[in-house]
């Protein structure tokens, strides 16, 4: 659902429940929620005016959410006298009225036209035959129910303020069946045109008559009423809309590592950041942008490391699973790690299989390159890769609310259970951070096994989540083991509680009286500087389970 103006946005947002904010990679903010009584997941964005802005935001939103349909809902100016304020115009066509050639003999139109598909046409006509206004309260100053007109609309980047203007005369001359004019519909139509399976509906409430009286009509509340009418009719159509059958389907879980090996050295590799699709041993992957280190390439001595969230591109029309894709390129025989980094990636794949970690989709190795793809869970509601703990952490100085804390603590207790299987073998992840924990409100897991396949080294996992024994100043780095995982889980919890992770120069964590004592004690115990004084992973998980019970007793935050 796209709108241009704030008043249009508010009219649509009024119908959403369970709303949460989603930020696209480009920075666009959307409210994502549901409409009572409907199964659709609805993402709502405000584009601002002009066709260009609407097209750019529509395009990025369609791709991010893999949209089934795009509705543009808002207000428009009437070009015909038989329309009334508050009426609704559904676009049967959208004319881009700026298309043409201008010369000495005047302006010659070269129309760019979008037409509603037959299925959308039938949905609109069916909605018109019913009573779409049954639940719409009457608006002051707008007697009776609004009428619905299924007619063409003209769209351009000019605000038409007079029917005697040159732009208005041009529309009447070349597009004389257009009954209304707006500034965004043509851009949205062009964005949707790039996605053949996506259906589009343009719904505009009449808020003025494209003349000098527009300001007076707006001041009288015409935009608010027209927006409410347009939103009500759009939701009436959405009630009858059915999925196309291409909803995301996660591939069945795989438990086999596919090993491919071959001699020779590849040509100089190209950075993943510059390639939307990469091919590894006949398997193609679509790379996704992500926050933090979810799309990253870095050098560690003579070793180049790459990682990204990706989607497997299958040979047939089915949808492939999402994966956590990593690649190691060893430029010389000595890497400085104390172990072969290519062999370490293979060893991590074996750990995943043996200890029920993320499922292995692909493991391949050539002379100097190893690639590992692990299953990344999919969000079935949105049809996108599941988010990470980073998406749930608050920003300072605002702490997390009790409900969000409950989700985080439950998720970390599940992660602690998985880490317990590693610790039983004397191994440890040692690289926990917000993007390493994949989770939403119902599910939590690890994206990989971190540094479990390589021996400890001084300075590993630098940053605010590094355990003291992993640094250069805390004796021998060989002490970094399972206790480091407990510290890092405690550091993640402190971030969730305070909005800030532990960091040099900041005071140690002090519990707040508003939090359950069990949760505060769990963080305090996990963040002890001496590894021997911390609880083991099973004791820490027990503390988290008690804290989960106590958090459920807190009153909900307004």
């Amino acid at each position: 659902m796209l709108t241009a103006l704030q008043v249009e946005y508010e009219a649509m947002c009024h119908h959403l429940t369970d709303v949460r904010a989603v930020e696209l990679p480009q920075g666009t903010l959307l409210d994502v929620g549901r409409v009572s009584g409907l199964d659709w997941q609805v993402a709502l964005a405000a584009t601002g005016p002009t066709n260009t802005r609407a097209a750019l935001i529509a395009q990025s939103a369609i791709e991010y959410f893999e949209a089934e349909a795009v509705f543009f809902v808002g207000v428009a100016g009437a070009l015909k006298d038989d329309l009334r304020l508050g009426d609704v115009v559904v676009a049967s066509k959208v004319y881009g009225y700026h298309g043409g050639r201008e010369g000495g003999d005047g302006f010659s139109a070269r129309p760019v036209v979008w037409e509603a598909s037959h299925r959308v046409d039938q949905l609109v006509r069916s909605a018109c035959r019913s009573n779409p206004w049954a639940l719409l309260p009457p608006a002051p100053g707008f007697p009776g129910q609004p009428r619905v007109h299924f007619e063409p609309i003209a769209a351009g980047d000019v605000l038409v303020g007079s029917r005697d203007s040159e732009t208005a005369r041009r529309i009447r001359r070349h597009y004389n069946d257009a009954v209304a004019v707006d500034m965004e519909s043509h851009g949205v139509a062009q964005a949707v045109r790039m996605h053949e399976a996506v259906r589009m509906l343009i719904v505009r409430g009449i808020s003025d008559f494209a003349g000098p009286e527009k300001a007076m009509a707006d001041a009288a509340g015409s935009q608010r009423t027209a927006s409410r009418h347009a939103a009500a009719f759009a939701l009436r159509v959405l009630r009858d809309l059915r999925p196309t059958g291409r909803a995301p389907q996660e591939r069945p879980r795989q438990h086999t590592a596919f090993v491919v090996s071959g001699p020779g050295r590849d040509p100089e590799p190209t950075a993943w950041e510059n390639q939307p699709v990469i091919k590894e041993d006949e398997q193609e992957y679509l790379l996704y942008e992500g926050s933090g280190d979810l799309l990253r390439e870095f050098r560690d001595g003579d070793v180049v490391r790459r990682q990204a969230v990706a989607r497997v591109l299958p040979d047939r029309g089915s949808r492939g699973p999402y994966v956590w894709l990593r690649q190691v390129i060893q430029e010389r025989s000595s890497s400085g790690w104390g172990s072969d980094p290519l062999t370490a990636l293979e060893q991590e794949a074996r750990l995943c299989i043996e200890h029920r970690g993320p499922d292995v989709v692909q493991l391949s190795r050539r002379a100097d390159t190893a690639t590992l793809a692990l299953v990344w869970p999919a969000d079935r509601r949105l049809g996108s890769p599941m988010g990470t703990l980073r998406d749930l952490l608050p920003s300072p100085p605002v702490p997390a609310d009790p409900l969000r804390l409950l989700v985080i603590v439950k998720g970390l207790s599940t992660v602690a259970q998985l880490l317990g299987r590693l610790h039983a073998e004397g191994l440890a992840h040692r690289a926990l951070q917000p993007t390493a924990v994949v989770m939403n409100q119902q599910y939590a897991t690890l994206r990989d096994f971190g540094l479990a396949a390589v021996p400890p080294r001084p300075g590993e996992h630098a940053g605010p989540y590094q355990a003291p024994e992993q640094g250069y100043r805390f004796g021998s780095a060989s002490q970094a083991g399972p206790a480091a995982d407990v510290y890092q889980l405690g550091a993640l919890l402190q971030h969730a509680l305070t909005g800030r992770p532990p960091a040099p120069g900041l005071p140690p964590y002090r519990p707040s009286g508003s939090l359950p004592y069990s949760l505060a004690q769990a963080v305090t115990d996990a963040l002890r500087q001496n590894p021997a004084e911390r609880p083991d992973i099973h004791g820490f998980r027990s503390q988290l389970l008690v804290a989960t019970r106590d958090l459920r007793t807190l009153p909900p935050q307004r």
Side-chain angles (χ1 to χ4, degrees), residues 3 5 7-8 11 72-79 83-91 133 136 142 146-149 153 179-182 184-185 202-210 214 217-218 221-234:
T3 67
L5 305 178
V7 65
E8 302 164 345
F72 200 90
V73 184
V75 301
L79 295 174
L83 270 65
R84 302 180 306 198
L85 292 180
D87 280 1
V88 171
V89 176
V90 183
W133 318 116
L136 186 70
F142 293 82
R147 298 173 300 172
V148 180
H149 308 263
I153 287 177
V179 302
V181 61
D182 68 22
E184 300 85 22
S185 296
I202 305 291
V203 185
R204 307 301 247 172
I206 297 301
S207 63
D208 61 81
F209 293 102
K214 172 178 169 55
D218 293 348
S222 63
Q223 283 191 341
R224 184 176 303 277
T225 298
S227 298
R228 290 171 59 244
H229 292 177
F233 188 79

Side-chain angles (χ1 to χ4, degrees), residues 278-320:
I278 64 167
K279 189 173 184 179
E280 294 296 334
D281 295 303
E282 306 305 320
Q283 178 60 67
E284 289 187 320
Y285 295 94
L286 173 66
L287 301 186
Y288 280 68
E289 294 184 1
S291 58
D293 64 343
L294 296 185
L295 176 57
R296 186 184 177 203
E297 179 170 326
F298 59 100
R299 178 178 293 275
D300 184 9
D302 298 327
V303 177
V304 176
R305 298 180 182 275
R306 297 165 165 175
Q307 57 193 39
V309 178
R311 165 163 261 172
V312 175
L313 296 180
D315 295 333
R316 300 181 180 177
S318 61
R319 302 168 69 89

Side-chain angles (χ1 to χ4, degrees), residues 105-342:
D105 55 348
F107 179 83
S108 299
R110 294 180 177 176
V112 180
V113 185
W114 168 89
E115 293 191 56
S117 68
H118 176 68
R119 292 183 182 276
V120 172
D121 176 293
Q122 294 300 299
L123 282 172
V124 172
R125 297 184 188 280
S126 173
C128 290
R129 289 192 294 268
S130 65
N131 180 14
W133 318 116
L135 300 179
L136 186 70
F142 293 82
Q145 292 180 341
R147 298 173 300 172
V148 180
H149 308 263
F150 191 41
E151 301 287 350
I153 287 177
D157 289 343
V158 174
L159 180 61
V160 180
S162 171
R163 292 195 186 183
D164 294 328
S165 66
E166 176 58 33
T167 298
R169 289 196 294 268
R170 178 179 297 174
I171 294 174
R172 285 197 299 270
R173 185 181 311 120
H174 299 288
Y175 313 101
N176 55 34
D177 58 343
V179 302
V181 61
D182 68 22
M183 299 175 63
E184 300 85 22
S185 296
H186 178 61
V188 176
Q190 292 305 306
V192 173
R193 192 190 297 269
M194 300 174 63
H195 305 271
E196 295 181 357
V198 177
R199 292 158 288 178
M200 186 180 82
L201 189 71
I202 305 291
V203 185
R204 307 301 247 172
I206 297 301
S207 63
D208 61 81
F209 293 102
E213 70 284 352
K214 172 178 169 55
M216 294 180 59
D218 293 348
S222 63
Q223 283 191 341
R224 184 176 303 277
T225 298
S227 298
R228 290 171 59 244
H229 292 177
F233 188 79
L235 293 177
R236 173 61 185 82
V237 176
L238 184 62
R239 191 184 75 183
D240 294 336
L241 191 68
R242 295 292 178 265
T244 60
R246 60 181 188 89
Q249 297 292 329
E250 200 172 2
R251 179 177 288 185
R253 294 173 62 85
Q254 302 176 5
H255 296 276
T256 304
F258 298 96
V259 181
V260 182
S261 60
R265 182 179 180 88
D266 287 345
E268 189 66 23
T270 304
W272 279 4
E273 290 90 338
N274 302 324
Q275 302 181 81
V277 176
I278 64 167
K279 189 173 184 179
E280 294 296 334
D281 295 303
E282 306 305 320
Q283 178 60 67
E284 289 187 320
Y285 295 94
L286 173 66
L287 301 186
Y288 280 68
E289 294 184 1
S291 58
D293 64 343
L294 296 185
L295 176 57
R296 186 184 177 203
E297 179 170 326
F298 59 100
R299 178 178 293 275
D300 184 9
D302 298 327
V303 177
V304 176
R305 298 180 182 275
R306 297 165 165 175
Q307 57 193 39
V309 178
R311 165 163 261 172
V312 175
L313 296 180
D315 295 333
R316 300 181 180 177
S318 61
R319 302 168 69 89
Y322 295 106
V323 296
W324 176 234
L325 185 64
R326 287 184 295 153
Q327 188 175 80
V328 177
I329 303 172
Q330 188 173 12
E331 296 182 342
R332 296 183 180 88
S333 58
S334 176
S335 68
W337 268 76
S339 64
D340 178 7
L342 306 183

Side-chain angles (χ1 to χ4, degrees), residues 450-515:
L451 302 176
V454 298
R457 64 170 185 171
E460 67 179 11
H461 192 48
Y465 305 98
Q466 183 189 61
E469 60 270 27
Q470 293 180 291
Y472 290 100
R473 299 182 180 180
F474 192 95
S476 171
S478 63
Q479 298 181 49
D485 288 352
V486 175
Y487 181 92
Q488 290 167 10
L489 288 176
L492 292 173
L493 268 182
Q494 175 177 324
H495 194 163
L497 291 169
T498 67
R500 294 184 178 90
L506 291 179
Y509 172 72
R510 288 184 172 83
S512 167
S514 62
L515 294 173

Side-chain angles (χ1 to χ4, degrees), residues 250 322-323 374-379 384-387 438 443 445-447:
E250 200 172 2
Y322 295 106
V323 296
L374 303 174
V375 166
W376 185 288
D379 190 320
S384 59
M386 193 175 287
V438 185
Y443 187 88
T445 187
L446 292 170
R447 70 183 185 187

